[in-house]
Amino acid sequence: MAVTNTTIINKMLEEIYVAKNNVDNEHVLRQHVRHIRLLCELLLDEQEKSMTQAQDTTQFSAAEIKMMLGEKGAEKMNQPKGVNPQSKIDHGEANGDSLFDF
């Protein structure tokens, strides 16, 4: 069950009120300020998670990529990174593509 931002802010206000009323007691003041900081971090972490999730959901289908980049651009997107099939070199007596094939 998720906690709403309003609930977190209301708890922060409660902690601020208690901290404000205990300005003379250093220990109690620090304790409530720590609670406020914890609630702030909770609120900020939730916002950052929702932002990253929104960015992760931006995936394009093959048809969309083809429309944006054309035929050749779509083909380049489908190729594995770091492997260029045109740059294959024939090494005479080598047995395969790996460095460890002798």
Side-chain angles (χ1 to χ4, degrees):
M1 184 168 112
V3 180
T4 64
N5 292 344
T6 307
T7 305
I8 295 172
I9 292 172
N10 286 336
K11 275 304 248 189
M12 289 170 60
L13 289 172
E14 289 175 18
E15 292 294 330
I16 289 170
Y17 179 76
V18 173
K20 185 177 177 183
N21 289 335
N22 289 299
V23 173
D24 298 331
N25 189 343
E26 181 84 17
H27 178 71
V28 174
L29 177 68
R30 286 182 158 284
Q31 181 181 7
H32 289 284
V33 170
R34 280 191 206 105
H35 293 166
I36 295 166
R37 181 175 65 188
L38 180 66
L39 290 166
C40 289
E41 290 173 357
L42 176 66
L43 187 62
L44 291 172
D45 286 346
E46 287 298 319
Q47 289 176 351
E48 288 174 4
K49 284 181 185 177
S50 66
M51 288 176 60
T52 56
Q53 287 174 350
Q55 291 172 351
D56 290 343
T57 59
T58 309
Q59 298 293 326
F60 299 107
S61 68
E64 291 172 325
I65 292 172
K66 186 176 177 181
M67 297 248 333
M68 289 187 286
L69 301 176
E71 292 286 331
K72 291 185 179 182
E75 289 173 8
K76 286 183 182 179
M77 291 294 292
N78 291 333
Q79 289 179 356
K81 302 234 185 309
V83 177
N84 190 354
Q86 287 98 13
S87 67
K88 202 171 202 180
I89 300 172
D90 183 25
H91 292 287
E93 296 179 18
N95 294 338
D97 294 335
S98 175
L99 290 173
F100 302 107
D101 291 336
F102 296 100

